[in-house]
Amino acid sequence: MSEVTISDLASRYEHDLAAPERCGFVLPDGSVVEVQNICHEPADGFDIAAEDLLKYEDNAIASWHTHTGTDCNLTRDDLASFLNYPHLHHYIVGSDGVACYAVEQGRVVRAATYSSSRHAEEHPLRAD
Ligand SMILES: [Zn+2]
């Protein structure tokens, strides 16, 4: 996964405080696909439709989702879902940056963290 894709994810989602959590996959060519969040409380978690999982889980290299207005630490639900997909990396886009998690020997570990730049904090992106 390239730095360009990470910064693209961050700039698109990390300041999106009013939004429901957004989620999707990263494909081998580095492109970022967004899929629908079907969680019944989409501001507080994410669920991916079975048809989207079927379509992407075997040819994606990573999943990603946003944490609306909170940091990129993983939640208990994230932990459970990441363990179901040990062949993928899992990116969480939080208000403090982007964290990359991986599953190693049955445990979820944080593989990398990409902090928000000062520039991004000083000039938050607005959807309008
Ligand atoms: Zn999460």
Side-chain angles (χ1 to χ4, degrees):
M1 180 137 179
S2 69
E3 292 289 325
V4 171
T5 311
I6 287 289
S7 61
D8 185 42
L9 267 180
S11 65
R12 279 158 72 182
Y13 303 116
E14 72 183 345
H15 297 290
D16 200 356
L17 301 184
E21 289 194 9
R22 299 164 77 161
C23 55
F25 296 93
V26 182
L27 304 182
D29 66 0
S31 57
V32 176
V33 188
E34 182 169 0
V35 299
Q36 192 184 357
N37 178 1
I38 62 164
C39 186
H40 58 284
E41 292 185 55
D44 204 33
F46 76 104
D47 278 313
I48 294 172
E51 65 207 63
D52 286 325
L53 274 174
L54 278 175
K55 191 168 163 189
Y56 292 113
E57 67 175 319
D58 288 333
N59 53 37
I61 58 170
S63 78
W64 63 270
H65 73 280
T66 63
H67 276 179
T68 306
T70 59
D71 63 33
C72 56
N73 288 322
L74 78 175
T75 66
R76 212 170 44 168
D77 287 346
D78 293 338
L79 183 69
S81 75
F82 292 176
L83 287 172
N84 286 330
Y85 298 96
H87 61 294
L88 298 178
H89 281 89
H90 302 279
Y91 290 88
I92 297 180
V93 183
S95 55
D96 57 343
V98 179
C100 175
Y101 296 89
V103 181
E104 289 179 4
Q105 298 173 338
R107 292 175 48 229
V108 175
V109 297
R110 189 188 282 220
T113 304
Y114 308 86
S115 296
S116 310
S117 69
R118 284 188 62 86
H119 183 79
E121 288 168 8
E122 287 165 5
H123 302 282
L125 295 171
R126 296 281 303 264
D128 58 2

